[in-house]
Amino acid sequence: MKMSKIFVQTLREFPSDAEVVSHKMLARAGYIRKLTSGVYNYLPLMWRVLKKVENIIREEMDNAGAQELLMPFVQPKELWVESGRWEAYGKELMRLRDRHNREMCLGPTHEEIITSVARDVLKSYKQLPANLYQIQSKFRDEVRPRFGLLRGREFIMKDAYSFGTSQEELDKEYKNMWEAYTRIFNRCGLETKAVQSDSGAIGGSVSHEFMVITDTDAGENDVFYCDSCDYSANSNHAVSKLPQAKTVGDFDCAKVVDTPNTHTIEELCDYLNIPASIILKTLVYIVDKKPVLALIRGDKQVEETKLLNAVGGIDIRIATSGEIEEMMAENGFNAIPGFIGPVDENKKPIAKYGENKVTVVADESVKELKNFVVGINRNDVHMVGANFGSELDLPEIVTDIRLVEAGEFCPQCGKPLKVTRGIEVGNIFQLGTKYSKPMNAVYLDADGKAKPYIMGCYGIGVTRTAAAAVEAHHDEWGIKWPLAIAPYHVIVVPVSTKDELQMSVAEKLYKDLLANGVEAVLDDRDERPGVKFKDADLIGFPYRITVGKTIQDGNVEFVTRQTGEKETLKPEQAAQRVIDAVKAIMK
Ligand code: ATP
Ligand code: MG
């Protein structure tokens, strides 16, 4: 390809809405153009990268025994009603109606469709296990589309689904996919960490996310991990052993004390001269429009996904102070945030809010608390020396809703946990019968009995993987693509297009490279060398062969973008280096 012909327009500046490196660079280097919020045009350079990522995925999925198919992007409501997700999936599901007023949605993921395909075809145990995958655009009406391709509304995903007859078969396929994923990301030039995670809207019990570890804002997930053993988990799933802390207050009997103007835990601690670890904190949430009280130790935070799972909800937010005051008034209390508790001093609970009963969830760690301090729904006072079983009761739901913090201890080996940030590029789930049961997707077993498939599902964000590669590989000048997913392997730059010798050597090099299966670009533009070098660095060609004045001595300059190393080589040597490198990634 001649540089003058590539469909690309590099920008002088980064786009103003770009917050992270991959978004900035992909836009500036002419890979993507935004169409509307969270929706991008993948221009020819980007499309080449994405096709390479897709092909790596295809090769590894095919080698792992999966078969590719393609399912429709627009899906009928009926299948989603069968699985129960028409109601359960939140606003991310883009719903629409056709001209006959039939309800449809844009596929955010394809469990329902694949399950309907499978139940139609995989009728006997003899056809199992099976693994089917597709690579396709998905649409999720994300609340906050941002970071360019990292969190789009329309994005490309590889989604695979396995069907088997037993948990053992699922375990085996899960491991098979785990290994395939490790190879896929390695080949894309990405180091990943597989971490335990919450299963979210997809469901199921066991799931792991493949994270690209990054210290930048682009890492939207906090990952807790242990250096001493293999424990690692997304913060929405991580658990920990707590360090020793004071959990027994010095107040030997329950009484109400004045605590004027103590609106925060800190103010309350200062006023009573106590550690936060002997306070029972009450937070008010709204989950699917219904009130939920979360009780947790004063020095700890609530992990919202865990709380959501504890009550089986979809949508969660903290209540506004207006809502809290309204709720208080409705239950006959007069209290503002800071003085809220599950009950008053006479054990009268916050029973309801509007139409709804109040659900109370306590974090497991509160069971340790004795003689603690708690709000009693009256302003400017707290109860001290309270105990479960006397001044108040433990609620029905007591489970882990606590956000793990660095420095707490590994649940497996007890050593301190560390925290880092990660970009989730892939996710594998054990679904079990979550879809096959409600959708009556069954096969006939050897004994002639109809049984639901034991399913797994396995996703990779194709567009997100490409963007994560930019996050992992760049410098201030631009992208440093890993060779296997670079749009082109090499750029040949004659310093002066007017110099006949330079041009003839450059053209010969270019042709030789092409003839050897290398994806080469010839920078035939009549531009200053500085401009050409800048563009080459920004676009991120893994190799640059510069043909300049030194060609009179038979030499060219060979630059490796990843390392910045510059070497003086004969043209044939330079070409051979690229040819060899390309051969190596072709396997
Ligand atoms: P996230 O937690 O980041 O919203 P998710 O867990 O909802 O993602 P999955 O349902 O696991 O996503 O989808 C499989 C893969 O698709 C993810 O691992 C990720 O790589 C990719 N993906 C999901 N949402 C997006 C998005 N909005 N933009 C780009 N890629 C995405
Ligand atoms: Mg996920």
Side-chain angles (χ1 to χ4, degrees):
M1 176 59 82
K2 304 273 175 69
M3 192 68 182
S4 60
K5 294 278 184 293
I6 293 188
F7 183 86
V8 66
Q9 176 70 53
T10 55
L11 306 175
R12 249 170 233 262
E13 307 283 339
F14 294 128
S16 58
D17 65 338
E19 299 166 76
V20 295
V21 161
S22 58
H23 186 189
K24 288 180 181 174
M25 292 205 171
L26 289 174
R28 182 160 167 203
Y31 285 81
I32 55 173
R33 282 289 181 273
K34 183 157 111 179
L35 178 63
T36 180
S37 169
V39 181
Y40 290 85
N41 289 297
Y42 311 127
L43 303 185
L45 285 177
M46 191 73 232
W47 189 233
R48 290 181 73 93
V49 173
L50 294 174
K51 279 191 294 186
K52 289 189 179 183
V53 175
E54 289 186 3
N55 283 337
I56 290 173
I57 293 174
R58 275 200 181 93
E59 279 176 30
E60 295 297 341
M61 290 300 290
D62 291 349
N63 281 340
Q67 291 179 62
E68 187 173 1
L69 80 173
L70 185 60
M71 291 177 275
F73 175 51
V74 177
Q75 312 183 357
K77 170 185 177 181
E78 290 70 26
L79 286 176
W80 284 75
V81 171
E82 275 189 51
S83 72
R85 285 209 297 182
W86 186 257
E87 294 296 331
Y89 215 106
K91 289 187 179 157
E92 282 178 18
L93 186 65
M94 183 84 171
R95 297 156 210 251
L96 48 135
R97 284 171 195 270
D98 69 10
R99 63 165 69 194
H100 305 292
N101 213 24
R102 284 188 289 243
E103 289 181 276
M104 328 273 275
C105 63
L106 302 183
T109 167
H110 278 65
E111 282 78 10
E112 282 76 4
I113 314 305
I114 195 77
T115 305
S116 80
V117 170
R119 73 183 171 191
D120 218 32
V121 178
L122 301 172
K123 302 211 179 222
S124 157
Y125 72 98
K126 290 182 194 154
Q127 295 164 284
L128 300 171
N131 188 336
L132 298 159
Y133 76 97
Q134 63 172 350
I135 298 178
Q136 182 204 41
S137 287
K138 299 278 186 259
F139 196 94
R140 294 183 183 178
D141 202 357
E142 299 272 355
V143 212
R144 278 191 76 195
R146 57 181 186 161
F147 299 168
L149 300 194
L150 286 174
R151 183 169 298 284
R153 292 200 296 163
E154 185 178 300
F155 58 96
I156 301 175
M157 197 204 286
K158 184 284 300 183
D159 44 328
Y161 307 88
S162 70
F163 301 86
T165 60
S166 65
Q167 180 62 38
E168 291 70 51
E169 236 166 45
L170 174 57
D171 287 340
K172 208 169 141 207
E173 191 55 20
Y174 195 76
K175 181 164 177 280
N176 182 32
M177 285 295 108
W178 183 310
E179 288 164 359
Y181 273 37
T182 309
R183 287 193 297 272
I184 288 167
F185 295 123
N186 273 339
R187 286 183 61 189
C188 291
L190 290 170
E191 233 181 274
T192 51
K193 205 178 188 53
V195 314
Q196 294 177 18
S197 72
D198 174 64
S199 327
I202 303 228
S205 50
V206 176
S207 98
H208 285 84
E209 289 166 344
F210 285 74
M211 294 281 187
V212 173
I213 300 303
T214 167
D215 282 335
T216 65
D217 287 347
E220 291 188 279
N221 300 271
D222 280 334
V223 174
F224 289 92
Y225 67 98
C226 177
D227 274 340
S228 309
C229 73
D230 63 357
Y231 183 77
S232 60
N234 190 322
S235 58
N236 63 23
H237 195 77
V239 291
S240 68
K241 290 184 189 150
L242 289 174
Q244 280 293 333
K246 188 172 162 72
T247 52
V248 182
D250 297 328
F251 312 98
D252 47 11
C253 68
K255 59 178 182 229
V256 176
V257 299
D258 283 341
T259 52
N261 298 320
T262 55
H263 302 288
T264 63
I265 292 285
E266 218 179 14
E267 285 166 350
L268 184 59
C269 288
D270 280 352
Y271 189 84
L272 292 175
N273 194 20
I274 53 164
S277 54
I278 62 159
I279 298 173
L280 179 74
K281 177 163 72 174
T282 305
L283 296 157
V284 186
Y285 284 90
I286 305 293
V287 176
D288 303 338
K289 302 192 177 130
K290 296 184 189 133
V292 174
L293 299 189
L295 311 184
I296 191 157
R297 232 169 73 176
D299 58 334
K300 297 292 156 198
Q301 308 302 321
V302 169
E303 209 300 314
E304 293 187 356
T305 307
K306 289 184 181 177
L307 179 59
L308 205 50
N309 291 340
V311 296
I314 300 164
D315 195 49
I316 186 165
R317 65 176 174 82
I318 197 105
T320 61
S321 30
E323 285 168 330
I324 294 174
E325 278 166 44
E326 225 174 73
M327 181 190 296
M328 288 295 111
E330 204 184 310
N331 288 276
F333 298 126
N334 176 22
I336 58 169
F339 302 97
I340 312 297
V343 296
D344 72 359
E345 67 245 64
N346 302 313
K347 271 193 160 180
K348 182 181 156 215
I350 304 176
K352 61 180 185 60
Y353 180 42
E355 306 282 279
N356 299 299
K357 243 181 79 194
V358 173
T359 308
V360 187
V361 183
D363 180 56
E364 246 158 24
S365 66
V366 307
K367 287 195 286 192
E368 307 284 306
L369 293 179
K370 299 216 161 47
N371 301 342
F372 52 85
V373 176
V374 61
I376 48 171
N377 302 323
R378 198 145 49 95
N379 284 335
D380 296 332
V381 297
H382 277 84
M383 179 177 278
V384 301
N387 282 290
F388 287 114
S390 45
E391 286 68 39
L392 66 169
D393 294 319
L394 272 171
E396 242 168 68
I397 311 176
V398 181
T399 184
D400 172 41
I401 54 166
R402 180 171 57 82
L403 178 68
V404 170
E405 287 163 26
E408 294 172 0
F409 300 115
C410 174
Q412 281 181 184
C413 76
K415 294 275 163 31
L417 284 175
K418 293 188 170 162
V419 62
T420 181
R421 291 168 114 182
I423 301 170
E424 177 198 328
V425 285
N427 204 176
I428 56 178
F429 301 83
Q430 295 205 353
L431 297 172
T433 56
K434 171 161 162 95
Y435 295 90
S436 49
K437 259 206 185 136
M439 294 185 67
N440 197 26
V442 296
Y443 64 94
L444 287 183
D445 208 352
D447 55 14
K449 279 207 188 105
K451 294 183 181 156
Y453 310 116
I454 312 289
M455 292 172 56
C457 85
Y458 317 90
I460 290 182
V462 174
T463 35
R464 188 182 284 180
T465 296
V470 178
E471 293 290 335
H473 302 284
H474 66 269
D475 61 13
E476 61 184 306
W477 305 109
I479 304 169
K480 299 181 181 180
W481 287 113
L483 188 59
I485 61 170
Y488 291 93
H489 300 133
V490 60
I491 183 162
V492 179
V493 184
V495 169
S496 163
T497 42
K498 300 204 174 76
D499 184 302
E500 261 175 46
L501 179 60
Q502 287 184 22
M503 264 323 265
S504 68
V505 172
E507 266 168 8
K508 177 166 185 321
L509 259 174
Y510 170 63
K511 282 190 187 132
D512 287 350
L513 287 163
L514 290 182
N516 281 282
V518 170
E519 297 167 15
V521 171
L522 177 67
D523 197 343
D524 56 337
R525 296 173 303 166
D526 183 18
E527 289 279 3
R528 282 178 295 117
V531 172
K532 293 184 180 183
F533 297 159
K534 266 211 167 119
D535 282 348
D537 282 351
L538 179 62
I539 291 171
F541 296 94
Y543 299 106
R544 186 180 87 210
I545 302 175
T546 307
V547 187
K549 281 195 187 126
T550 55
I551 195 60
Q552 286 164 1
D553 310 320
N555 291 324
V556 296
E557 185 185 56
F558 183 77
V559 185
T560 306
R561 180 78 180 94
Q562 276 286 349
T563 58
E565 192 186 358
K566 291 182 177 160
E567 296 164 80
T568 304
L569 300 177
K570 302 281 168 235
E572 321 73 73
Q573 288 175 319
Q576 198 58 45
R577 288 281 283 279
V578 183
I579 293 165
D580 292 345
V582 169
K583 269 199 191 127
I585 55 159
M586 294 302 176
K587 296 195 304 175

